[in-house]
Amino acid sequence: MKYTTIIWDLDGTLMDTLQDLWLSVNHALRTYRMPERTYEEVRMFVGNGVRKLMERAVPDGEANPQFGDVFDEFKRHYMQHCKDNTGLYPGISETLKTLKAQGIRMAIVSNKLQAGVTELHHEWFADTIEVAIGEREGIKRKPAPDMVEAALRELGVEKDNAVYVGDSDVDLATALNSGLPCISVLWGFRDRRFLEQHGATCFAEKPEDIITITNKIN
């Protein structure tokens, strides 16, 4: 059996979005005179959606009486600046084109807000990835399986020949909850040791490895 469908995580897997997330986090914190966060702190905060990101970044999280205002300022700033420093990881564009040419069906599932996912999808993936699911009302965020299941429905495929590709512990849990095998990429926001500690067993060191893995008899 070969994989014929790939469900991709977005941040840290297809795109390096960390710089813009970090800048927007600190803009919001700075606006409300809260201590700013380091790049590495924000790296470890991401993965569970932007609300959880800001819960981790704001002192006392949701218990902070200014949390709602800071979160709104983050979202406003990020929607205006989400593409300033964001781009594809080297080799991703070529890999996606090759996979599509081989007949692989593809979707994105992301805990990023749907508006941001849609904008990035239109700009970077419209020619290669058919479906893009982000955080929105009525669908549970990863690691719940709901986004993956929605993506499979929109693609019109079953999960039997599908594989999930991501860079984090959240992605490993999402794949497990969805009943899919997982390929963990090593160019993203988490390192190999961290991923192994969270159950990763299949790794891609560079995007082209995804082609090799999907073409193997599994």
Side-chain angles (χ1 to χ4, degrees), residues 6 8 96 99-100 104-107 128-131 155:
I6 298 177
W8 294 91
L96 293 177
L99 290 168
K100 182 179 180 180
I104 303 294
R105 307 287 301 281
M106 293 182 284
T128 52
I129 297 180
E130 299 171 60
V131 172
L155 286 172

Side-chain angles (χ1 to χ4, degrees), residues 3-213:
Y3 297 131
T4 57
T5 303
I6 298 177
I7 308 297
W8 294 91
D9 170 54
L10 180 61
D11 295 41
T13 302
L14 292 170
M15 305 194 78
D16 187 355
T17 57
L18 190 57
Q19 180 85 356
D20 287 328
L21 287 166
W22 173 61
L23 291 172
S24 290
V25 166
N26 281 337
H27 165 83
L29 293 172
R30 189 165 57 249
T31 298
Y32 287 90
R33 298 184 179 182
M34 295 179 182
E36 296 183 32
R37 295 293 190 167
T38 69
Y39 190 81
E40 288 306 313
E41 283 179 315
V42 173
R43 178 190 293 276
M44 296 307 296
F45 290 165
V46 299
N48 294 91
V50 291
R51 185 177 185 88
K52 182 60 70 175
L53 165 61
M54 293 309 294
E55 286 176 19
R56 292 163 174 164
V58 171
D60 300 322
E62 286 187 309
N64 190 309
Q66 292 184 295
F67 175 80
D69 293 332
V70 180
F71 185 38
D72 286 343
E73 182 62 23
F74 164 82
K75 289 188 289 184
R76 184 198 65 77
H77 188 271
Y78 187 64
M79 284 307 301
Q80 292 180 356
H81 298 278
C82 67
K83 298 186 294 183
D84 289 359
N85 303 283
T86 286
L88 301 182
Y89 284 106
I92 287 293
S93 179
E94 296 81 3
T95 295
L96 293 177
K97 290 175 183 176
T98 298
L99 290 168
K100 182 179 180 180
Q102 293 177 347
I104 303 294
R105 307 287 301 281
M106 293 182 284
I108 290 168
V109 294
S110 172
N111 281 340
K112 187 188 293 293
L113 295 170
Q114 182 67 60
V117 172
T118 298
E119 185 171 355
L120 292 171
H121 175 248
H122 283 168
E123 179 162 351
W124 295 97
F125 307 108
D127 294 336
T128 52
I129 297 180
E130 299 171 60
V131 172
I133 306 291
E135 181 180 351
R136 63 193 190 215
E137 290 293 328
I139 186 167
K140 293 180 181 177
R141 295 195 308 267
K142 301 185 294 182
D146 300 48
M147 288 183 171
V148 172
E149 292 169 354
L152 293 171
R153 283 195 302 271
E154 289 196 28
L155 286 172
V157 301
E158 300 295 328
K159 69 179 183 180
D160 297 354
N161 297 91
V163 62
Y164 187 100
V165 181
D167 73 303
S168 72
D169 51 321
V170 175
D171 294 313
L172 286 160
T174 302
L176 180 64
N177 292 337
S178 304
L180 298 182
C182 186
I183 302 170
S184 295
V185 307
L186 297 179
W187 57 81
F189 298 164
R190 304 289 188 269
D191 61 26
R192 185 182 186 117
R193 181 179 179 185
F194 179 93
L195 293 168
E196 286 177 336
Q197 289 172 342
H198 288 83
T201 58
C202 181
F203 299 95
E205 294 186 356
K206 56 188 184 300
E208 305 92 278
D209 292 344
I210 306 295
I211 300 169
T212 303
I213 294 169

